[in-house]
């Protein structure tokens, strides 16, 4: 798999690190007290198929955080943007 970095151009996957799903909403209570909402945010994943937006870090290049829209079933990269 190759990812097109808006700063560096097309690069190999080994230069990037997956961080997390970019579509999940962080709970709004600030994390002051443990809640079921925080438990779900931290530990539970839906593992959905199809196009997903994900945070990736270009550690082997420009050190930028990127939002990669990727079909997780086929690994096709649909878009790459700078958040
Ligand atoms: Zn880059």
């Amino acid at each position: 798999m190759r990812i097109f970095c808006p700063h560096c151009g097309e690069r190999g996957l080994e230069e990037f690190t997956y961080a997390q799903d970019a579509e999940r909403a962080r709970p709004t209570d600030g994390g002051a007290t443990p809640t079921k909402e925080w438990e779900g945010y931290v530990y539970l994943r839906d593992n959905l198929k199809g196009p997903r937006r994900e945070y990736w870090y270009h550690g082997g290049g420009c050190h930028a955080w990127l939002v990669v829209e990727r079909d997780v079933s086929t690994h096709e990269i649909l878009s790459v943007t700078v958040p």
Side-chain angles (χ1 to χ4, degrees):
M1 189 166 85
R2 297 185 64 83
I3 296 176
F4 184 86
C5 174
H7 303 293
C8 307
E10 187 175 293
R11 299 295 181 97
L13 179 64
E14 66 278 2
E15 292 188 6
F16 297 86
T17 303
Y18 170 83
Q20 65 181 19
D21 188 337
E23 297 182 23
R24 298 176 59 219
R26 191 180 174 96
T28 57
D29 72 352
T33 57
T35 64
K36 284 290 182 191
E37 191 178 0
W38 273 103
E39 180 182 307
Y41 177 76
V42 173
Y43 296 111
L44 302 178
R45 302 291 182 270
D46 292 332
N47 199 21
L48 300 172
K49 293 182 178 180
R52 304 293 299 164
R53 294 177 63 238
E54 306 169 320
Y55 287 115
W56 286 74
Y57 179 66
H58 194 185
C62 63
H63 295 244
W65 284 97
L66 305 171
V67 174
V68 175
E69 185 178 10
R70 179 174 71 95
D71 187 319
V72 296
S73 299
T74 64
H75 301 295
E76 178 185 4
I77 304 290
L78 304 171
S79 69
V80 179
T81 58
V82 178

